[in-house]
Amino acid sequence: MSGEEYFQAIHKWRLEMDANLRRENGWLALAGLFWLKKGFNTFGSSGDCDILLPKRAPRLLGAFEFDGENITLHVEIGQTGELNGKPIQTAAVLKSDREEPPSFVTFQELQLLVIQRTDNFGVYLWDNQRSLRNEFPPRIWFPIDEKYYVSALYTPYPVPIKVDLPNASGELEKDFMQGYVSFKFGDKSYRLDATELNDGRLYLQFKDLTNGGKTYQSGRYLYTEAVTEDGEVFLDFNKAYNPPSAFTDSATCTFGSKQNRLKVSIEAGEMYERPH
């Protein structure tokens, strides 16, 4: 790809990233996160509901019953909604976002989803009428610089290694890394642990010396293209982007492990100049 084609491709990708942020049930529509307690967790617009919906919603829509392992949806008599696009007929056991397919519960412009984080279960609430979807400033980026399009070598671990990933709640979550990428930037060598994806690409969570200044304090994310048969892969830091927690306090992101802290300033990709 020539220089001009590369610049146009990155610019197009960045416009798509901004549009995706504002889509229905996107991160700017995420209006709340509610952790479930055992028993019945009511949801509606009444102030005494466990899961508080916008005022335009009925005072009581129903409840999520949690027995410590399973979550069952109960809808109040006279109320209607959809479960994965089909009318809710009766009480239903829901699948979390860690299962396939997850159970999306919809009431007009509101959508709810059970999430699982470690041993805790909660409910995400999306409100597609949130004004923030249109009012939020455009994402901001460093100027595109081809020196941040870096050739790397991917090396799988003999067996995946377990790492601690800090999350948005200040806790540590266990996860597995299938290998690492090694690369040179300037005259120094670096490496980052990576997660393998089913399509042959890699997913990286990393920190660098710009965090807390020009970029988001907790780090950024990056997807690669597919790794070649001989292990070659390109890291395009012009596509490094902020985690969802940069846009909503309700996100439950994880961030790069201590092994993925680069002792160099990566002045490429998405910047961060505003509080959420």
Side-chain angles (χ1 to χ4, degrees):
M1 185 182 296
S2 69
E4 183 59 29
E5 289 176 326
Y6 174 75
F7 275 67
Q8 291 178 357
I10 296 297
H11 180 66
K12 179 176 182 290
W13 176 85
R14 290 178 174 182
L15 291 176
E16 291 170 350
M17 288 289 287
D18 191 74
N20 187 58
L21 182 65
R22 303 169 195 281
R23 66 177 174 80
E24 285 193 0
N25 303 320
W27 292 112
L28 290 180
L30 187 61
L33 167 61
F34 306 88
W35 296 109
L36 297 177
K37 65 180 188 297
K38 285 189 178 181
F40 285 84
N41 299 261
T42 56
F43 61 96
S45 62
S46 174
D48 58 359
C49 283
D50 300 297
I51 298 171
L52 188 60
L53 304 184
K55 291 183 179 180
R56 68 179 186 275
R59 288 183 56 79
L60 179 62
L61 261 174
F64 293 93
E65 183 184 6
F66 180 43
D67 64 6
E69 295 183 3
N70 301 302
I71 296 98
T72 303
L73 172 68
H74 301 272
V75 177
E76 187 72 3
I77 295 175
Q79 303 296 342
T80 59
E82 294 183 346
L83 177 57
N84 287 345
K86 297 181 180 180
I88 299 171
Q89 305 288 351
T90 184
V93 176
L94 303 179
K95 292 184 178 180
S96 77
D97 65 336
R98 297 290 174 90
E99 303 174 86
E100 288 294 337
S103 300
F104 288 97
V105 179
T106 305
F107 297 94
Q108 297 180 355
E109 291 295 306
L110 303 174
Q111 187 171 81
L112 300 105
L113 172 69
V114 173
I115 67 168
Q116 182 180 1
R117 299 295 182 267
T118 60
D119 295 326
N120 300 312
F121 288 83
V123 172
Y124 266 160
L125 166 66
W126 285 275
D127 178 5
N128 287 310
Q129 290 190 18
R130 290 189 87 199
S131 60
L132 201 61
R133 289 179 59 198
N134 298 314
E135 296 172 356
F136 197 84
R139 302 173 86 142
I140 52 175
W141 307 84
F142 285 102
I144 300 168
D145 189 338
E146 289 185 86
K147 78 176 183 182
Y148 289 103
Y149 184 66
V150 181
S151 175
L153 178 68
Y154 177 63
T155 304
Y157 287 120
V159 294
I161 64 168
K162 184 181 290 187
V163 298
D164 290 324
L165 301 180
N167 65 23
S169 300
E171 302 170 333
L172 292 176
E173 293 187 25
K174 301 289 185 182
D175 202 355
F176 288 91
M177 298 289 146
Q178 285 76 37
Y180 64 91
V181 292
S182 52
F183 61 97
K184 283 191 174 182
F185 188 74
D187 58 353
K188 293 186 177 181
S189 297
Y190 302 93
R191 61 182 281 177
L192 292 169
D193 284 335
T195 301
E196 292 182 3
L197 304 178
N198 292 333
D199 58 6
R201 297 182 301 152
L202 302 175
Y203 170 55
L204 308 172
Q205 301 177 76
F206 73 95
K207 298 190 72 171
D208 69 276
L209 297 183
T210 66
N211 298 148
K214 295 180 179 180
T215 64
Y216 188 60
Q217 64 268 19
S218 297
R220 291 178 289 172
Y221 297 165
L222 179 65
Y223 286 92
T224 73
E225 298 299 324
V227 180
T228 65
E229 290 185 3
D230 59 2
E232 184 181 27
V233 64
F234 284 90
L235 310 182
D236 193 346
F237 288 105
N238 290 296
K239 288 186 173 182
Y241 68 96
N242 291 335
S245 58
F247 309 104
T248 172
D249 290 325
S250 299
T252 57
C253 306
T254 57
F255 312 113
S257 64
K258 63 181 181 181
Q259 296 96 317
N260 276 20
R261 296 174 181 173
L262 299 174
K263 294 182 179 180
V264 63
S265 292
I266 303 294
E267 295 192 350
E270 190 164 13
M271 302 176 71
Y272 186 78
E273 293 183 351
R274 55 183 175 264
H276 18 106

